[in-house]
């Protein structure tokens, strides 16, 4: 896609996410996440803020590495619920693959 698409946040609301723009990219979630690589989960949240669906789907495998430990959500100073956002992005990816299996 490449262009900024803020309407993606509205789309994510259908998948249970209403905190897309709460994140201010402080990186606390990255620091506590046990996956400790690839700037996860902040990177995916940034993609969501930009509405970059292509990059979310490109890196969607990372979404399934999340352990649901909740550390990121407990640590986030903005109440952005990064763990919940990751779950919502999973739902978005599954819906996209179900509707467009060959894309
Ligand atoms: S989700 Fe929260 S902890 Fe993670 S970068 Fe954004 S504001 Fe910081
Ligand atoms: S819930 Fe997922 S993204 Fe958040 S800290 Fe745990 S493993 Fe990382």
């Amino acid at each position: 896609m490449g262009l900024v698409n803020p309407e993606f946040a509205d789309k994510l609301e259908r998948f249970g996410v209403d905190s897309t723009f709460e994140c201010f990219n402080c990186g606390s979630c990255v620091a506590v996440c046990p996956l400790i690589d690839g700037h996860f989960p902040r990177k995916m949240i940034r993609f969501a803020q930009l509405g970059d669906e292509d990059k979310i789907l490109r890196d969607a495998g990372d979404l399934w590495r999340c352990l649901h430990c909740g550390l990121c959500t407990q640590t986030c100073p903005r109440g952005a619920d990064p763990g919940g956002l990751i779950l919502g992005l999973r739902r978005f990816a599954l819906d996209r693959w179900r509707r467009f299996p060959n894309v």
Side-chain angles (χ1 to χ4, degrees):
M1 181 170 292
L3 299 174
V4 175
N5 174 26
E7 286 78 24
F8 181 66
D10 297 333
K11 186 184 290 188
L12 275 185
E13 289 190 12
R14 290 196 279 118
F15 300 103
V17 176
D18 62 1
S19 60
T20 303
F21 289 116
E22 296 303 322
C23 170
F24 66 162
N25 275 283
C26 69
S28 300
C29 53
V30 179
V32 299
C33 179
L35 300 180
I36 57 169
D37 66 1
H39 298 280
F40 191 86
R42 179 178 58 176
K43 179 182 74 172
M44 300 303 286
I45 296 167
R46 192 71 181 134
F47 290 162
Q49 289 179 328
L50 294 171
D52 197 330
E53 299 185 24
D54 289 346
K55 286 184 180 168
I56 292 167
L57 293 170
R58 180 197 70 190
D59 294 351
D62 289 350
L63 299 171
W64 272 266
R65 296 178 64 216
C66 173
L67 306 168
H68 305 296
C69 68
L71 286 173
C72 55
T73 294
Q74 291 170 27
T75 305
C76 178
R78 291 276 288 192
D81 189 14
L85 221 151
I86 294 302
L87 268 178
L89 289 175
R90 278 193 199 185
R91 296 186 195 109
F92 157 73
L94 287 170
D95 179 69
R96 179 68 175 266
W97 291 330
R98 178 179 60 79
R99 290 188 296 122
F100 305 104
N102 299 316
V103 177

